[in-house]
Amino acid sequence: MADRLIATPPPHLKAGNTVSEAMRDVIIALIPVSLASIYFYHYYAAFLLVLCMGTAAITEIVVRAALKKRHTLGDLSAVLTGLFVALLMSPGSPWWTAVLATILAVGVAKELMGGLGWNLFNPALFGSVATIILAPWFGFLSRDLSRLNVNFGPIDAISQATPRAMLMQGASLPDYGTMLLGFPGGALSETSPLLVIIGGAFLLYRGHINWRIPVAMIGTVAVLSLLAGGDVIYEMLTGGLMLGAFFMATDWVTSPINNKGKWVFGIAIGALVAVFRFGVGATEGVAFSILIMNAFVPLIERLTKHPSFSEPAPKPATEDA
Amino acid sequence: MALNDIKEGEGKSFVGGTHVPHYKSYTDSIAIERMAIPDEVVVHLSQHIGAPCEPLVAVGDTVMLGEKIADADAYITAPLHAPVSGEVTAIEERPNAEGGETMSIVIAAKGEQDAYQPSVERNPDDMSAEELKEAIRDAGLVGMGGAAFPTYVNINTDQPVDTLILNGAECEPFLTCDHRLMLERADELIKGAEILMRCIGAKKTYIAVETNKLDAIGVLDEKLGGRDDMEVVPLAVKYPQGYKSYLIKTITGRDVPRGARSAALGCIVRNVGTTFAAYEAVVYGKPLIERIISVTGPTVPDPGNYVVRVGTKAEHILSECGVDPDELDGAKVIFGGPMTGLAQDNLEVPIVKSTTGVLVLPPEMVREDMVYSDCVRCGLCVQRCPNWLYPNELSILAEHGVYGDLEDWDIWDCIECGVCAYVCPSNRPIVHFIKRAKPIVDEL
Ligand code: SF4
Ligand code: SF4
């Protein structure tokens, strides 16, 4: 008789999809816009990308070691978070803010919450926004660490106002085509909405993201911009709306799990973005809106829970006792 | 509906479920054959839902093929019959496919082993519905698609049942025994359906077949010749299409609330194998002593669809198909299909009336490492769960022992189909968690 028959429980077949494959595909989807950022911002962008991804990996190893857990670099989620943080940075940001944002993203928002799957907030957004809020208190770092700043030489685009700021100040932006294709000024990921959309299309095609969230979110912003009298096309193409809609709001862990919830979530984010843009006049509207709605995901899930296929009848009598 | 226009993959379906590769080509074109009779059979006294049987024979008795050897004095049960002629050598606990042991009658085959000789030759049209049902009960029929519910109990209903659904979906990958049966025994199958219709008083029969079996759809449609009381329904190829509730919903549009017996919904669903057995039971008085199983897998030298006696051990079945039991290191031997079947580590385990196949997965198809990670909330399991549950929540609660909340997430509605675990990118053993938690929740 065979010495060793395997008798693990069913199902005995497994679809080939894995978490690391999905993360890898998201990284692939971000390559075009990363290249665009390097094209516009040269070494500034390349440096931030490498710095954040490296910091993310190290943070994950260190924090998980401190928590006595096996590192999970293989699922690629830490590196991806680092990549996201870099793409959310402006090219002129001091390097230590990039490091701080990455540590907060991977170390606090993800690992201290229990690791991938347990985080309430999108880690990259949390890290970036927390850094923006905390940076004033860390002003001394700017001073003390300025000696360590790496100087890559001047780039015009860096001192230029961001397209969002230009829009708010009523300055005129280049034509729609240029804005879609590529125009420097904002964060690394804001250089080319077109390439972000192509990346998003790739993720939709690979089945990693659900179309409902980007459609609901972008649609809501479009409709409300129209009502608010904004320039709908510019509103679409600035402020990282595309990155937010295709890559951030669609994050598995921090978005609602069922389709109804995804609609609610997307529409609410879109509405908040419009409020930030036309009401408050803040430039970080997309990031704030997504983070705010991240906090409501558990509530949305409860309210949109669908009934079981077997629901109509009362429960079987076996349950009391 | 123009059935000859329908293409592979098309057809009616339900909401949820997933596509799984079929792996049916190993055996779907191989005609049904008889397997050599083993030297010894092990007949479990409990191989159906309901009361276990009591032996009617003692060690040392000589039994004849088809002789009743065990029965129970209960309503929900099914008698057992000798699958071979020979001598009873033991009545004792023997290993079962669930990993435990079941009281069993062990019979050593002795003397001439012929094919079953009809004890009678009856015309069902001359029999009353009561006589038909009795013949089915006496033959020990149970659901042969996996559930093993006694057929007599199922059809002995006084509720008005207008619809009979013959389940020929065979949605589990690899298995082809129902497919071959529909192709090769279409006339008997249709007669079997007529018998069941008379038993339950149904006006209409739907034969449900997934459209990866277009040849079977064609043959059945032709044999039916446009009669209006029977119809072939082509179903989309999707797992688990063949589950009873989803068939009822797909074909009749009726809702299937939890706890409702299908008779109360005016429908009875029977597997095609059971229907064929009903034909043989009524016309020839043949008890359920053998069944068709698929013996399959990429490395099986002689795969096929075999008529095998109930109680035949996996060992015998595998060696008859050219598999060397010593060469199975790191492989899986599965009773049933790969989505819900149970892997065996003891080849002494015999098949029972409801075993649909013996599948050998070679080491390269075996996921030996059961490493899994936390739920990343990708939502795939929720989208695909055919029962519209939240397998993610069920798995997390069960994993962490939060048993009290499992009923809120409808753990009892889970049909343990395996779709959630199949699609999970974190490789979570969701069904395993759910199965393990059910008895604990029941105790709460
Ligand atoms: S095993 Fe249960 S929870 Fe999982 S998909 Fe099937 S019915 Fe849903
Ligand atoms: S498929 Fe797995 S990872 Fe995805 S939601 Fe379900 S349990 Fe979580």
Side-chain angles (χ1 to χ4, degrees):
Chain A
M1 167 127 8
D3 344 317
R4 214 174 50 103
L5 279 169
I6 310 295
T8 46
H12 306 287
L13 296 178
K14 183 79 189 78
N17 57 322
T18 59
V19 174
S20 46
E21 175 209 60
M23 298 290 168
R24 185 203 62 204
D25 281 355
V26 180
I27 293 175
I28 292 173
L30 289 169
I31 289 176
V33 70
S34 303
L35 291 178
S37 73
I38 294 174
Y39 171 79
F40 285 112
Y41 301 142
H42 314 293
Y43 296 113
Y44 280 93
F47 173 68
L48 281 174
L49 289 166
V50 172
L51 180 67
C52 291
M53 290 199 270
T55 308
I58 294 169
T59 308
E60 159 131 335
I61 294 173
V62 171
V63 176
R64 287 190 76 97
L67 297 172
K68 304 222 172 356
K69 294 196 218 168
R70 210 164 38 91
H71 80 77
T72 47
L73 284 182
D75 71 17
L76 298 181
S77 84
V79 176
L80 174 60
T81 303
L83 174 58
F84 271 129
V85 172
L87 289 172
L88 291 168
M89 304 295 296
S90 300
S93 320
W95 63 266
W96 63 266
T97 55
V99 171
L100 178 64
T102 311
I103 293 175
L104 290 173
V106 177
V108 177
K110 193 180 92 173
E111 292 306 339
L112 290 186
M113 293 295 287
L116 185 68
W118 297 102
N119 47 304
L120 181 60
F121 296 105
N122 180 310
L125 286 176
F126 179 89
S128 316
V129 168
T131 303
I132 292 170
I133 295 170
L134 294 176
W137 282 286
F138 286 91
F140 64 94
L141 281 181
S142 283
R143 208 175 49 242
D144 297 350
L145 295 177
S146 59
R147 291 177 288 120
L148 300 177
N149 270 357
V150 203
N151 190 353
F152 294 116
I155 297 181
D156 296 344
I158 291 176
S159 46
Q160 175 184 319
T162 70
R164 271 300 328 146
M166 291 164 73
L167 204 57
M168 301 241 174
Q169 291 150 9
S172 64
L173 286 175
D175 59 277
Y176 295 150
T178 310
M179 285 305 295
L180 176 68
L181 210 58
F183 179 69
L188 266 53
S189 56
E190 288 170 47
T191 47
S192 173
L194 179 67
L195 294 180
V196 173
I197 294 170
I198 290 174
F202 172 70
L203 293 186
L204 283 170
Y205 165 75
R206 298 279 293 154
H208 296 313
I209 61 173
N210 186 303
W211 58 272
R212 289 171 184 83
I213 292 177
V215 166
M217 179 171 156
I218 297 171
T220 307
V221 174
V223 170
L224 295 179
S225 303
L226 200 66
L227 294 177
D231 183 316
V232 177
I233 307 282
Y234 282 143
E235 293 298 336
M236 300 287 96
L237 300 179
T238 56
L241 184 71
M242 292 301 153
L243 188 82
F246 285 104
F247 288 88
M248 298 290 178
T250 53
D251 174 34
W252 287 345
V253 180
T254 57
S255 61
I257 222 158
N258 68 34
N259 292 340
K260 220 197 276 172
K262 289 183 200 295
W263 281 113
V264 173
F265 183 72
I267 292 172
I269 295 173
L272 282 175
V273 169
V275 169
F276 276 112
R277 288 184 175 181
F278 299 104
V280 183
T283 50
E284 300 291 342
V286 172
F288 281 121
S289 306
I290 296 174
L291 282 175
I292 291 171
M293 289 316 297
N294 283 165
F296 284 97
V297 167
L299 179 69
I300 296 177
E301 303 254 82
R302 262 203 302 287
L303 297 179
T304 57
K305 182 185 172 196
H306 54 236
S308 157
F309 174 88
S310 326
E311 192 49 42
K315 289 199 169 193
T318 53
E319 67 175 322
D320 44 35
Chain B
M1 190 184 328
L3 279 187
N4 30 9
D5 289 346
I6 196 134
K7 294 194 190 51
E8 173 150 357
E10 292 178 351
K12 290 183 162 192
S13 198
F14 60 102
V15 178
T18 196
H19 296 275
V20 181
H22 316 162
Y23 299 110
K24 302 224 187 222
S25 58
Y26 301 112
T27 50
D28 65 359
S29 54
I30 303 178
I32 300 168
E33 251 181 86
R34 299 199 147 266
M35 182 173 280
I37 289 160
D39 295 336
E40 183 181 275
V41 291
V42 175
V43 184
H44 288 328
L45 286 171
S46 177
Q47 46 179 294
H48 46 260
I49 292 173
C53 290
E54 293 295 331
L56 303 173
V57 291
V59 175
D61 284 2
T62 301
V63 292
M64 294 302 294
L65 172 65
E67 176 185 336
K68 187 152 90 168
I69 54 173
D71 205 346
D73 198 12
Y75 179 59
I76 303 185
T77 192
L80 295 165
H81 302 80
V84 294
S85 298
E87 186 189 324
V88 176
T89 53
I91 298 179
E92 62 190 19
E93 302 259 322
R94 287 293 181 104
N96 63 29
E98 284 75 38
E101 293 199 324
T102 305
M103 195 48 100
S104 310
I105 299 177
V106 184
I107 304 171
K110 289 220 171 106
E112 285 290 291
Q113 295 294 339
D114 294 322
Y116 177 79
Q117 298 302 320
S119 58
V120 288
E121 181 97 42
R122 290 183 289 219
N123 181 352
D125 295 338
D126 301 337
M127 296 165 74
S128 70
E130 280 316 310
E131 285 167 335
L132 295 175
K133 286 188 205 173
E134 216 147 283
I136 286 171
R137 186 187 57 194
D138 291 345
L141 258 57
V142 302
M144 290 163 74
F149 192 80
T151 305
Y152 169 74
V153 180
N154 198 285
I155 57 175
N156 187 33
T157 168
D158 39 16
Q159 251 144 341
V161 175
D162 53 18
T163 307
L164 171 68
I165 298 176
L166 289 201
N167 187 355
E170 202 166 51
C171 58
E172 272 268 10
F174 283 101
L175 303 180
T176 56
C177 52
D178 289 348
H179 180 183
R180 293 308 307 184
L181 182 107
M182 289 186 286
L183 267 182
E184 299 179 39
R185 312 270 201 270
D187 290 316
E188 294 88 339
L189 183 62
I190 292 169
K191 293 213 180 81
E194 288 167 355
I195 292 170
L196 292 180
M197 281 171 85
R198 285 197 45 219
C199 292
I200 57 179
K203 300 279 165 303
K204 176 93 188 188
T205 292
Y206 297 98
I207 310 179
V209 190
E210 281 193 350
T211 51
N212 55 3
K213 298 179 262 293
L214 291 175
D215 48 355
I217 293 176
V219 166
L220 286 168
D221 192 42
E222 196 192 303
K223 302 264 187 203
L224 289 178
R227 58 192 275 184
D228 14 284
D229 62 341
M230 271 193 216
E231 186 183 312
V232 181
V233 185
L235 299 175
V237 183
K238 196 164 70 166
Y239 182 85
Q241 182 65 69
Y243 188 74
K244 191 174 75 175
S245 310
Y246 313 140
L247 280 178
I248 294 177
K249 180 71 183 171
T250 305
I251 293 173
T252 68
R254 294 174 200 170
D255 285 327
V256 187
R258 66 174 68 94
R261 295 278 306 281
S262 35
L265 307 168
C267 287
I268 275 180
V269 182
R270 287 288 87 187
N271 163 268
V272 290
T274 317
T275 310
F276 175 71
Y279 164 82
E280 291 197 314
V282 167
V283 176
Y284 302 118
K286 182 178 170 184
L288 190 47
I289 49 162
E290 58 188 8
R291 63 158 297 146
I292 307 167
I293 64 168
S294 300
V295 185
T296 179
T299 53
V300 175
D302 288 313
N305 303 288
Y306 295 96
V307 178
V308 181
R309 295 289 162 87
V310 168
T312 305
K313 295 176 200 164
E315 220 171 21
H316 176 81
I317 294 170
L318 291 176
S319 47
E320 283 295 312
C321 296
V323 178
D324 179 352
D326 292 323
E327 305 259 290
L328 288 171
D329 205 31
K332 263 186 186 178
V333 172
I334 296 162
F335 271 30
M339 295 300 282
T340 58
L342 296 176
Q344 306 299 323
D345 55 10
N346 183 349
L347 298 181
E348 294 272 319
V349 170
I351 65 155
V352 291
K353 292 173 180 176
S354 57
T355 309
T356 47
V358 176
L359 163 63
V360 180
L361 287 186
E364 59 273 19
M365 290 185 81
V366 170
R367 302 182 301 129
E368 195 183 337
D369 71 278
M370 291 299 284
V371 175
Y372 61 91
S373 40
D374 288 340
C375 167
V376 292
R377 296 172 39 82
C378 71
L380 279 176
C381 59
V382 178
Q383 261 169 43
R384 308 280 169 83
C385 172
N387 223 73
W388 312 345
L389 306 179
Y390 287 81
N392 58 327
E393 300 287 348
L394 291 169
S395 80
I396 293 171
L397 294 171
E399 181 185 9
H400 294 100
V402 194
Y403 298 113
D405 288 354
L406 283 166
E407 282 190 347
D408 295 341
W409 293 95
D410 300 317
I411 185 170
W412 296 116
D413 293 351
C414 169
I415 64 160
E416 299 174 6
C417 65
V419 163
C420 47
Y422 175 77
V423 299
C424 178
S426 285
N427 200 21
R428 294 175 64 71
I430 307 177
V431 200
H432 178 60
F433 285 145
I434 292 175
K435 281 192 196 174
R436 209 178 51 186
K438 275 182 177 175
I440 304 174
V441 176
D442 199 29
E443 293 287 301
L444 289 182

